[in-house]
Amino acid sequence: VLANAVVLRDIMGSSSLLAIPMVLAQMTAPTSAATAVSSTKEMYSYWCTAERSEKPLCKHHALIAKMTATTDPEQRKALATEVKSLYTQAKTMSAGGGPGSVNPFAKDYADMKIAYCATSPAGAKTLCSTAASRFSPSGSSGSVTSSTSQAMEWFCAKESSELASKDSICKRASLLKQMRDATTTPDAKKDLLKQLKEHPAPAYGTTQAIYADFCKIKTNGELPLC
């Protein structure tokens, strides 16, 4: 069974191991528990200040918010292009760091989550119970891909959500499911790829929050993602 998270050591490097207990000691787990999705909205507001607006994590979050807010096709297309460019930059930054380099989205997320959870935010027990970790589904086996799909299906089946971007997130999940279907023809996949450009991946922290809420359910605890 895979561990439910990538520990902070993998993000910060072994040289920072001695600092981890000190950081975690400052984190007092909140006594009440809102959903991780709800807490993550507050966490982004706390972290993504003007001086961090150009950081990959915050910039991506802002672009996704703009895409959610507009129905103008041309504006959505332009924003989607910006998102794609940001992905390319992040990939280049990760590759340029050499072996063991961490995706800048993951690094920014770790910094954001530790800083936010260190303030002992009210109601953030679900999010901050694993303050120094993150779920790591990318590049994983088919069994993990299957459980990430289950997480998204669970989220999309909920009657309500704190996220304005839920419709786009769930549309993307549906398109990806069709892409993975062995009966989908090559021509159909081309059309699905075009549609996916209109529904880029959710903000990194939002995806992590969905996984956290899904994995806290007892019956999901043994799934590869969790």
Side-chain angles (χ1 to χ4, degrees):
V1 178
L2 296 178
N4 78 327
V6 175
V7 294
L8 182 62
R9 179 188 60 193
D10 297 328
I11 297 172
M12 298 179 69
S14 58
S15 62
S16 299
L17 281 176
L18 293 177
I20 293 176
M22 184 180 298
V23 172
L24 295 182
Q26 297 173 0
M27 298 178 183
T28 305
T31 55
S32 57
T35 65
V37 166
S38 177
S39 299
T40 294
K41 289 173 61 181
E42 296 179 8
M43 180 168 67
Y44 268 111
S45 296
Y46 163 84
W47 182 254
C48 291
T49 53
E51 64 266 27
R52 298 192 185 100
S53 62
E54 292 302 309
K55 298 281 284 185
L57 186 81
C58 293
K59 191 170 185 178
H60 182 244
H61 179 257
L63 288 170
I64 296 301
K66 288 179 181 178
M67 286 194 72
T68 301
T70 183
T71 57
D72 181 87
E74 291 304 314
Q75 188 175 8
R76 287 184 63 83
K77 184 177 180 180
L79 289 167
T81 299
E82 287 191 63
V83 170
K84 183 179 179 180
S85 176
L86 188 61
Y87 289 156
T88 301
Q89 292 173 30
K91 187 175 181 180
T92 301
M93 291 169 65
S94 180
S101 295
V102 177
N103 184 296
F105 289 112
K107 174 64 170 64
D108 287 354
Y109 178 75
D111 292 342
M112 173 175 72
K113 191 177 179 186
I114 288 174
Y116 177 70
C117 291
T119 68
S120 299
K125 184 177 180 179
T126 299
L127 177 68
C128 293
S129 63
T130 54
S133 62
R134 63 186 174 90
F135 296 92
S136 184
S138 60
S140 304
S141 66
S143 60
V144 178
T145 299
S146 176
S147 55
T148 58
S149 297
Q150 285 179 257
M152 286 302 177
E153 288 178 7
W154 167 82
F155 170 73
C156 294
K158 296 174 70 175
E159 291 185 2
S160 61
S161 171
E162 304 94 333
L163 289 176
S165 58
K166 180 181 179 182
D167 287 347
S168 184
I169 292 172
C170 296
K171 177 64 175 179
R172 178 180 176 82
S174 175
L175 293 170
L176 289 172
K177 183 177 181 179
Q178 293 176 67
M179 286 286 292
R180 290 190 293 267
D181 191 327
T183 65
T184 302
T185 66
D187 285 341
K189 286 186 177 182
K190 289 181 181 178
D191 181 60
L192 290 170
L193 284 171
K194 290 180 181 178
Q195 294 183 62
L196 278 170
K197 291 179 181 179
E198 291 291 311
H199 301 280
Y204 188 93
T206 298
T207 304
Q208 290 286 313
I210 292 171
Y211 294 159
D213 286 331
F214 176 75
C215 288
K216 77 175 181 181
I217 299 172
K218 188 174 181 179
T219 53
N220 297 335
E222 295 303 314
L223 292 173
L225 169 67
C226 303

